[in-house]
């Protein structure tokens, strides 16, 4: 097979325009030969940025030059819509997909388009507003896997299951970053065929990267000088990049000191993994027709608060208090790891999002007034999570929706509106608990748990569920945090072999903390409790007494009562 040769020293040996023309011809032949070599289907992943657009154009032109009888293998073009993409970019992607599908059908090209979405349970708003996940951070980057990787990988794995193997064509380039170059060079070493690299995360998938050694200016030169074959306009793409650059300039690279549009990246408008959304800010700044996106930028900036602990629960999402050592300005303190957003703030983000959606639908250009920031299916799933998993039976989502939009919320989930408990019962319970937050939470969980099991034909598991309610909500915030510190001190005493400290902390345990010592005894065989309630680091002998478990102590006390 003909293989397009790469420059030996890419950083110094730049191609001239004539050399790029020759290189494209060689690359075209390589694509044609690889395509005709077997019946392994191709999956071409595009984001509709400059790199993936260039690869798609290269592949289209190469396959279009083949005789019709050789175009027997389908090329699946996939794009993932995270549902929180920059609205301008999202509109561009949808238009491009429609143009590509229409042109392929009209010209007999073996291309099928697939617009992929994350599962409803994995969307950004279901996780943030429904479950209470905090806005993504580098140390808790929960969004990328759910929104981008899983939908594409699911499609690819289904293709592998149906065909045994797949070739994945991507627009990755080494010039994007040093990290990207290192990753690509690592995969090159494992190549099993010319220009095809395996991926450990995708079994039976080989990756082909035709423009891996192209520079930014070469990508733009190709897009500007070679006509778009499916009826799109590459100059519109250039304008899109230009409008998303802070200084409103997007020059072609003429020397090493000139920046390229490759430095302007598009992504999710809610992204808090970057310090600021420069592309959206630039769009709003450079074009008054895009000022309607300001409410989106405001929400994104409001989410991007580094220390948002006051908005989050003191427990992790499963109800347990976990501690960590915090070093702030040289002062070390042990504090709880903040958990999910509280009920108040989850409702706040829903209200803010619906307000932004309502406003943008009034102020956006005519072609953007059908914008949807959160879907009906997402709100239905959020409502289910609040009702069934968080036991918030006041059912506040329909009320918030109607207050903001002026419309009644219609839940597509069958039986979603049936409930014996509601806002009236919630208000009565609040009044009875007289401001005791944890008591109110516990009572709400117990009532709703009983209500949920009442509707089931079998009540298996109800006692475990009720016990979990007590485990997570029976202590006040102060008591729960103190208890977490006590657990930590006990484990430290064991790890340090400090029996005296262990005895001291052990005396502070209550009967309800039996599981604490059980957990510790699971990790060490060096803690023993005798009938006199004394702790020892060595096991009792037959001459002294048999060791007692916490379970035996607990049930002994219960039976004596």
């Amino acid at each position: 097979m003909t293989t397009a040769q790469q420059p030996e020293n890419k950083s110094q040996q730049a191609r001239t325009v004539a050399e790029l023309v020759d290189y494209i011809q060689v690359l075209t032949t390589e694509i044609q030969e690889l395509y005709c070599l077997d019946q392994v289907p191709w999956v071409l992943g595009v984001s509709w940025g400059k790199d993936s657009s260039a690869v798609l154009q290269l592949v289209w032109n190469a396959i279009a030059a083949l005789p019709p009888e050789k175009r027997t293998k389908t090329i699946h073009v996939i794009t993932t819509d995270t549902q929180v993409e920059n609205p301008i970019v999202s509109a561009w992607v949808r238009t491009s997909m429609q143009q590509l599908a229409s042109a392929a059908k009209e010209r007999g090209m073996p291309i099928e388009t697939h617009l992929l979405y994350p599962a409803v349970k994995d969307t950004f708003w279901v996780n943030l507003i429904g479950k209470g996940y905090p806005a993504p951070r580098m140390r808790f980057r929960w969004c990328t896997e759910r929104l981008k990787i899983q939908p594409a990988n699911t499609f690819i794995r289904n293709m592998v299951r149906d065909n045994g193997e797949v070739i994945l064509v991507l627009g990755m380039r080494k010039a994007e970053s040093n990290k990207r170059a290192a990753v690509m060079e690592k995969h090159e070493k494992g190549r099993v065929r010319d220009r095809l690299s395996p991926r450990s995360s995708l079994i039976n998938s080989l990756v082909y990267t035709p423009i891996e050694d192209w520079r930014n200016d070469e990508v733009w030169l190709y897009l500007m000088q070679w006509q778009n074959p499916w009826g799109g306009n590459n100059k519109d793409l250039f304008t899109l990049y230009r409008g998303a650059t802070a200084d409103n300039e997007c020059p072609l690279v003429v020397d090493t000191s000139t920046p390229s549009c490759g430095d302007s990246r598009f992504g999710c408008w809610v992204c808090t993994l970057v310090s600021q959304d420069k592309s959206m800010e630039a769009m709003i700044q450079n074009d008054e027709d895009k000022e309607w996106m300001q409410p989106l930028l405001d929400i994104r900036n409001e989410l991007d608060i580094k220390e948002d602990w006051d908005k989050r629960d003191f427990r992790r999402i499963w109800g347990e208090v976990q501690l960590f050592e915090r070093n702030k300005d040289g002062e070390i303190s042990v504090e709880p790891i903040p958990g999910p957003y509280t009920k108040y703030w989850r409702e706040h983000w829903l209200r803010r999002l619906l307000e932004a959606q309502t406003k943008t639908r009034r102020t956006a250009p005519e072609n953007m007034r059908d914008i949807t920031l959160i879907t009906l299916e997402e709100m239905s799933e959020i409502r289910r999570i609040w009702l069934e998993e968080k036991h918030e039976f006041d059912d506040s989502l329909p009320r918030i929706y109607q207050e903001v939009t002026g419309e009644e919320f219609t839940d597509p989930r069958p039986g979603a509106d049936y409930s014996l408990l509601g806002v009236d019962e919630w208000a009565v319970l609040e009044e009875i608990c007289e401001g005791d937050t944890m008591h109110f939470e516990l009572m709400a969980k117990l009532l709703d748990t009983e209500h949920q099991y009442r509707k089931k034909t079998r009540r298996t598991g109800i006692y475990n569920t009720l016990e979990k309610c007590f485990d997570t909500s029976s202590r006040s915030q102060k008591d729960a945090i103190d208890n977490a510190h006590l657990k930590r001190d006990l484990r430290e005493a064991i790890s340090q072999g400090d029996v005296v400290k262990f005895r001291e902390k052990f005396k502070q345990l209550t009967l309800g903390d039996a599981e604490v010592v059980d957990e510790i005894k699971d990790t060490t065989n060096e803690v023993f409790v005798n009938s006199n309630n004394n702790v020892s680091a060595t096991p009792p002998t037959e001459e002294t007494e048999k060791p007692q478990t916490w379970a035996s102590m607990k049930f002994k006390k219960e039976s004596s009562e």
Side-chain angles (χ1 to χ4, degrees):
M1 187 186 82
T2 303
T3 302
Q5 298 298 314
Q6 304 174 28
E8 294 181 2
N9 192 334
K10 296 177 283 298
S11 60
Q12 297 178 3
Q13 187 178 343
R15 282 182 286 256
T16 65
V17 174
E19 288 173 337
L20 179 62
V21 172
D22 293 338
Y23 182 73
I24 289 172
Q25 184 55 52
V26 175
L27 194 55
T28 298
T29 303
E30 175 185 286
I31 293 170
Q32 291 173 335
E33 292 180 353
L34 185 60
Y35 175 83
C36 296
L37 194 61
D38 51 44
Q39 290 303 308
V40 178
W42 282 18
V43 175
L44 202 161
V46 296
S47 63
W48 294 100
K50 66 183 193 312
D51 297 334
S52 58
S53 295
V55 169
L56 179 57
Q57 187 166 305
L58 277 168
V59 171
W60 177 294
N61 288 334
I63 304 306
L66 291 172
E69 62 271 14
K70 289 190 175 183
R71 303 178 202 160
T72 58
K73 188 163 62 176
T74 301
I75 299 173
H76 301 271
V77 177
I78 63 172
T79 297
T80 300
D81 183 355
T82 64
Q83 297 183 307
V84 282
E85 300 290 338
N86 180 304
I88 302 297
V89 178
S90 181
W92 166 266
V93 167
R94 291 177 180 278
T95 300
S96 299
M97 288 288 279
Q98 292 169 359
Q99 288 177 330
L100 180 66
S102 178
K105 183 178 181 180
E106 181 181 334
R107 302 177 194 179
M109 291 291 288
I111 290 178
E112 291 184 9
T113 59
H114 307 268
L115 188 57
L116 311 178
Y117 299 93
V120 173
K121 67 181 179 62
D122 291 330
T123 65
F124 185 86
W125 297 120
V126 165
N127 281 279
L128 189 138
I129 296 177
K131 298 177 182 178
Y133 280 20
R137 296 287 183 267
M138 292 307 297
R139 292 187 178 182
F140 188 38
R141 191 172 181 167
W142 54 264
C143 51
T144 306
E145 175 74 20
R146 290 173 170 83
L147 303 184
K148 294 185 177 182
I149 297 176
Q150 287 184 6
N153 283 1
T154 298
F155 181 89
I156 294 167
R157 290 189 180 110
N158 288 338
M159 291 293 298
V160 170
R161 183 189 61 194
D162 295 339
N163 300 277
E165 192 177 9
V166 71
I167 292 177
L168 183 59
V169 187
L170 300 175
M172 297 169 60
R173 294 184 304 110
K174 295 176 182 176
E176 291 181 72
S177 67
N178 292 333
K179 183 178 180 181
R180 175 59 60 87
V183 171
M184 294 181 70
E185 288 168 2
K186 177 184 177 181
H187 288 307
E188 281 180 19
K189 296 177 182 178
R191 283 181 172 171
V192 294
R193 289 166 58 181
D194 289 339
R195 302 272 270 173
L196 298 181
S197 303
R199 286 292 190 277
S200 58
S201 59
L202 291 170
I203 299 175
N204 290 354
S205 301
L206 297 174
V207 177
Y208 176 42
T209 51
I211 63 170
E212 60 186 22
D213 65 315
W214 285 32
R215 303 189 315 274
N216 291 341
D217 58 310
E218 291 176 329
V219 175
W220 281 118
L221 182 62
Y222 175 67
L223 290 173
M224 293 299 104
Q225 297 302 319
W226 274 260
Q227 185 177 1
N228 186 298
W230 56 84
N233 190 336
N234 291 340
K235 290 183 179 179
D236 289 343
L237 177 61
F238 183 87
T239 302
L240 187 63
Y241 268 81
R242 182 185 179 195
T245 305
D247 57 5
N248 201 26
E249 292 183 2
C250 185
L252 293 178
V253 173
V254 294
D255 55 42
T256 56
S257 64
T258 307
S260 171
C261 284
D263 297 327
S264 175
R265 299 187 182 277
F266 301 106
C268 302
W269 66 267
V270 292
C271 184
T272 49
L273 297 173
V274 292
S275 59
Q276 60 185 119
D277 190 339
K278 294 181 180 179
S279 62
M280 182 174 283
E281 288 180 355
M283 285 182 176
I284 295 171
Q285 175 186 338
N286 297 333
D287 189 350
E288 63 180 15
D289 289 339
K290 295 184 176 65
E291 290 180 357
W292 59 271
M293 291 194 297
Q294 186 63 48
L296 279 65
L297 187 60
D298 292 341
I299 291 177
R300 184 259 167 214
N301 291 338
E302 189 178 346
L303 282 169
D304 191 20
I305 300 175
K306 299 304 179 185
E307 294 189 2
D308 55 357
W309 297 3
D310 61 321
K311 299 177 174 61
R312 295 162 61 182
D313 202 306
F314 66 94
R315 298 157 295 184
R316 304 305 300 276
I317 200 165
W318 56 86
E320 181 181 342
V321 176
Q322 283 192 330
L323 304 175
F324 76 109
E325 284 192 3
R326 186 187 189 200
N327 188 336
K328 186 174 183 181
D329 300 327
E331 294 186 7
I332 297 178
S333 60
V334 179
E335 302 178 18
I337 300 175
Y341 289 125
T342 62
K343 183 178 191 292
Y344 173 87
W345 284 102
R346 284 184 278 110
E347 292 176 349
H348 169 80
W349 296 128
L350 175 63
R351 186 180 297 276
R352 292 281 286 114
L353 188 61
L354 289 173
E355 287 172 349
Q357 178 171 279
T358 303
K359 184 174 181 179
T360 52
R361 285 179 174 178
R362 292 198 309 264
T363 59
E366 195 66 34
N367 63 328
M368 297 294 293
R369 292 197 176 180
D370 61 345
I371 186 171
T372 299
L373 301 183
I374 182 169
T375 66
L376 191 64
E377 290 72 22
E378 287 178 288
M379 286 186 283
S380 175
E381 177 63 7
I382 290 169
R383 185 189 187 193
R384 186 198 66 78
I385 292 171
W386 287 2
L387 286 170
E388 298 181 7
E389 297 180 15
K390 296 190 177 294
H391 305 286
E392 296 166 356
F393 56 79
D394 60 325
D395 198 13
S396 59
L397 188 143
R399 172 177 51 81
I400 293 172
Y401 183 86
Q402 187 166 33
E403 288 174 357
V404 175
T405 67
E407 302 173 2
E408 185 176 348
F409 180 73
T410 304
D411 199 320
R413 186 164 53 96
D417 295 318
Y418 172 74
S419 179
L420 295 177
L421 298 174
V423 66
D424 293 337
E425 289 77 11
W426 187 269
V428 170
L429 189 60
E430 271 189 310
E431 183 178 348
I432 293 173
C433 293
E434 298 179 337
D436 188 333
T437 305
M438 296 306 297
H439 186 206
F440 172 65
E441 180 183 289
L442 177 60
M443 292 300 103
K445 285 184 176 181
L446 292 174
L447 276 172
D448 193 58
T449 297
E450 171 61 30
H451 169 238
Q452 289 184 25
Y453 275 88
R454 180 182 180 181
K455 296 183 291 185
K456 298 181 179 181
T457 54
R458 298 185 62 191
R459 292 162 62 89
T460 304
I462 185 172
Y463 294 115
N464 289 334
T465 306
L466 290 172
E467 185 176 354
K468 185 178 179 181
C469 295
F470 283 101
D471 290 341
T472 60
S473 305
S474 60
R475 289 185 173 95
S476 69
Q477 179 172 340
K478 181 182 182 302
D479 289 345
I481 294 174
D482 288 345
N483 186 258
H485 279 279
L486 180 58
K487 291 182 184 180
R488 186 174 186 273
D489 291 341
L490 284 167
R491 291 189 177 93
E492 281 188 354
I494 292 173
S495 65
Q496 297 168 3
D498 191 340
V499 178
V500 175
K501 181 180 179 181
F502 186 91
R503 269 203 198 106
E504 178 187 345
K505 296 297 178 182
F506 170 78
K507 293 176 182 178
Q508 300 175 29
L509 292 176
T510 65
L511 192 61
D513 294 315
E515 74 280 1
V516 176
V517 173
D518 287 341
E519 289 175 13
I520 295 172
K521 291 178 71 175
D522 287 340
T523 60
T524 178
N525 294 321
E526 299 179 356
V527 179
F528 300 91
V529 184
N530 61 30
S531 60
N532 295 322
N533 209 27
N534 293 323
V535 183
S536 174
T538 57
T541 62
E542 292 182 0
E543 287 75 17
T544 56
E545 60 178 327
K546 295 181 180 179
Q548 297 188 52
T549 65
W550 269 93
S552 64
M553 293 172 63
K554 180 178 180 180
F555 288 114
K556 181 179 179 181
K557 182 174 181 179
E558 289 178 348
S559 61
S560 64
E561 293 175 349

